[in-house]
Amino acid sequence: MPSVLLTGASGMIGQAIHKHLIMGGFTVRILVRDRKKADGKNSFFWDYLSEEIDLKAFENMDYIIHLSGANVSKRWTFKYKKEIYDSRIMSTDFLFQTIKNRNIRIKKILSVSGTGYYGNTPTTGLLESSPTGNDFLSMVCRDWENSVKQFSTLKIPVCIFRVGVVISRKGGFIKRVGTPLKYFLGVHLGPGKQMVSWISMIDLCRLFTHAIEKNLTGIFNATASTPITMRQIDDSLAQYYHRKIWLPAIPEWFIKLVLGEMSAIVFTNCHTRNEKIKNTRFTFEQEDFIRALAQ
């Protein structure tokens, strides 16, 4: 089976993809930023800030799956926005320069961006060719993708997934939105009319092995065929947790006051289409939101 070098393995998505690859028979190594966790066998130290990396990590590796990036679900202070940006673009640039300068050969790099690339737009059916937005997350996604595209100058194929909201019971979006419901604080966040493009965790993991097996290159929307409104998500979570939404909706202005610029995560309207990835004969296992919650 192919071998994969994985970055960002400590995050929710990284952990799931790591497990999926191992179960699929792949040989997997991970890059870690904690020296104590680097055993020199399955995990290897790297730090893009100090420009350090254990080159043994690359030995006999076929693919790189690059997921590194600071969590966007913390309050966006000026300092933290810089960390969100640098953790994606600087880490990718450092990886590129390392591979270029050391003439390291790999078969492909697979990375992620986000549907935040499109910004907050009323346009429905966004395609991979649709224009980027003009907000902070759009800028991050655009620059991140451009950084990954550098690898093509080394004749290394590139595959990038623009990932929608990832549905997992283990954390992320569902934990943030669903926790109040679990404790009987059922409430809608604002008017709830904004569209959300989402993907189940299992389908996101399957996309990476599919891209390797089918030798995919290019940019693909990694979203289910069934975008839903934020209000529908609230109602689905209430159904899943056997709770009722009984409190008045929290006004949009109040949420923006509390969350600041980070409120864009809650109120951005994004309706994507996924025909491009489906045309590669990828079949989504989970396109029903309620069932995806149960995974």
Side-chain angles (χ1 to χ4, degrees), residues 121-137:
T121 172
T123 304
T124 59
L126 293 163
L127 301 173
E128 290 81 357
S129 57
S130 297
T132 185
N134 55 13
D135 58 15
F136 172 67
L137 281 184

Side-chain angles (χ1 to χ4, degrees), residues 16-277:
I17 291 175
H18 189 190
K19 181 179 179 180
H20 180 75
L21 291 170
I22 294 293
M23 291 179 64
F26 287 78
T27 298
V28 184
R29 292 177 185 164
I30 64 174
L31 289 175
V32 298
R33 295 185 64 193
D34 186 342
R35 290 184 189 275
K36 296 179 181 179
K37 294 181 179 179
D39 60 19
K41 181 179 179 181
N42 298 311
S43 55
F44 298 81
F45 177 75
W46 82 315
D47 188 340
Y48 65 88
L49 292 175
S50 61
E51 297 189 342
E52 295 179 74
I53 192 166
D54 188 341
L55 296 174
K56 293 179 182 178
F58 296 99
E59 292 179 359
N60 301 315
M61 287 289 101
D62 295 315
Y63 301 94
I64 294 176
I65 294 180
H66 181 45
L67 306 174
S68 282
N71 192 335
V72 298
S73 298
K74 291 175 62 175
R75 189 173 180 84
W76 293 358
T77 62
F78 178 82
K79 181 179 179 181
Y80 194 66
K81 283 173 68 175
K82 185 176 186 305
E83 183 175 344
I84 288 173
Y85 185 91
D86 289 350
S87 63
R88 288 162 171 79
I89 286 75
M90 286 183 64
S91 68
T92 308
D93 288 347
F94 174 57
L95 201 56
F96 169 76
Q97 289 297 332
T98 299
I99 289 174
K100 178 183 178 181
N101 295 339
R102 298 287 180 168
N103 196 29
I104 296 169
R105 302 311 305 167
I106 57 172
K107 294 180 179 179
K108 182 184 299 181
I109 182 166
L110 302 94
S111 188
V112 291
S113 171
T115 53
Y117 174 91
Y118 304 109
N120 185 9
T121 172
T123 304
T124 59
L126 293 163
L127 301 173
E128 290 81 357
S129 57
S130 297
T132 185
N134 55 13
D135 58 15
F136 172 67
L137 281 184
S138 300
M139 177 192 69
V140 171
C141 291
R142 181 198 65 217
D143 291 356
W144 195 8
E145 290 183 12
N146 287 337
S147 185
V148 177
K149 288 176 184 177
Q150 293 179 99
F151 286 85
S152 62
T153 65
L154 306 178
K155 297 185 178 179
I156 295 174
V158 171
C159 181
I160 299 172
F161 292 117
R162 287 182 186 154
V163 181
V165 169
V166 180
I167 304 305
S168 170
R169 290 181 298 169
K170 295 185 177 181
F173 178 84
I174 293 302
K175 183 177 181 179
R176 294 195 302 274
V177 177
T179 295
L181 273 167
K182 289 178 68 175
Y183 293 99
F184 299 94
L185 297 174
V187 62
H188 288 297
L189 301 178
K193 295 180 181 180
Q194 63 273 30
M195 296 298 299
V196 177
S197 293
W198 61 277
I199 185 170
S200 69
M201 181 65 84
I202 184 59
D203 280 332
L204 179 58
C205 291
R206 290 176 58 245
L207 274 175
F208 281 92
T209 49
H210 175 77
I212 290 173
E213 292 164 358
K214 300 297 183 182
N215 197 29
L216 301 187
T217 58
I219 297 176
F220 301 88
N221 285 336
T223 54
S225 307
T226 51
I228 58 178
T229 66
M230 191 65 204
R231 180 169 286 263
Q232 288 174 313
I233 289 175
D234 291 339
D235 292 339
S236 296
L237 285 168
Q239 180 182 336
Y240 178 74
Y241 289 122
H242 305 289
R243 302 287 191 264
K244 291 185 179 180
I245 294 179
W246 57 278
L247 293 169
I250 300 176
E252 184 173 343
W253 65 265
F254 182 78
I255 296 173
K256 289 182 176 180
L257 180 66
V258 172
L259 298 182
E261 194 176 352
M262 193 185 80
S263 62
I265 297 174
V266 178
F267 294 114
T268 293
N269 189 80
C270 183
H271 183 294
T272 61
R273 288 169 55 180
N274 63 6
E275 284 90 344
K276 185 176 179 181
I277 191 63

